Amino acid sequence: MSLPPWAVRLVEVVPTVEADDLSRFTPPPGAEHRQAAVLMLFGPGEQGAGEVVLLERAADMRSHPGQVAFPGGAAEPDEDAERAALREAEEETGLDPASVRVVGELPALFLPPSGFAVTPVVAWWERPHPLSARDPFEVARVERVPLPELLDPENRFTTVLSGGFRGPAFAASGLFVWGFTAGLLSRLLHLAGVGAPWDDTRERPIPSEQLRDWRPQVEP
C-alpha cells in the first residue's frame, strides 16, 4: 500500500528520534519502572490528508479524568511494548490489530508522577474500520481526528499551569488535547516536517474538569 507524502516522512523519521528530541524525562538508569505503552495510530483520513486516533477518558475516573490520550496502558508481565499497545487499543476502542502495521517504537519516556516508563508505538492504519468506546467506565469516546484540523494554527495554543508546566495544546474534533499526549504529538509531527508554524504565545486555560488529580510535572 502506498503512503501519502506526510506519512512517508513520518515513517522515515521514527527510527531517527532520540529521547531528548521528545522529553527531558527519560527512565532513570539502574531502577525498575512500571512499563506501559501507547499506540500512536495514524491513518490516511479523508483524501489521504491524515488522521490520528485519540480517546477521551471517562470523566469519573480516579486518575486523569476527562483527559485526552492515545490508546494504551500498563504492560502485562513478559509483554513487550508493541503487544501491550495493540492489546490495550483493542480493549479500549475495538481496534482490529490485524488492520495495523507497526512502523516502530519511540524511546521510552518517564512520567514521574506515576512512575511509568511509557513506550510510544507508532503505527499505520492500513485498513481503517469503525471504532467505539468499549468500556464507558474508562473511555468516554474515541475520535479519528483529522490531521488538517489538529494542525490548523488556529487550533493550536499553549497551556500554562503552576509548578512550571508549559506545553503545546490542540483543540480538534471537540477535544482539548494537552500534557503528555499533546507534547508527544507536537514534537513527532514537527520532527517529520508535518504541519505549519503556529503562535505559541497564545495561551488557553485547561478545562477545570480535567485538572481534578493534576500534579505538577514537566511536559514531555
Side-chain angles (χ1 to χ4, degrees), residues 19 22-23 25-27 35-36 105-110 117-120:
L22 302 172
S23 175
F25 278 89
T26 55
Q35 299 297 313
E105 297 178 8
L106 298 176
L109 304 177
F110 188 57
V118 181
T119 300

Side-chain angles (χ1 to χ4, degrees), residues 91-113:
E91 293 175 359
E92 292 175 331
T93 72
L95 176 72
D96 178 5
S99 69
V100 170
R101 174 162 60 93
V102 171
V103 170
E105 297 178 8
L106 298 176
L109 304 177
F110 188 57
L111 300 185

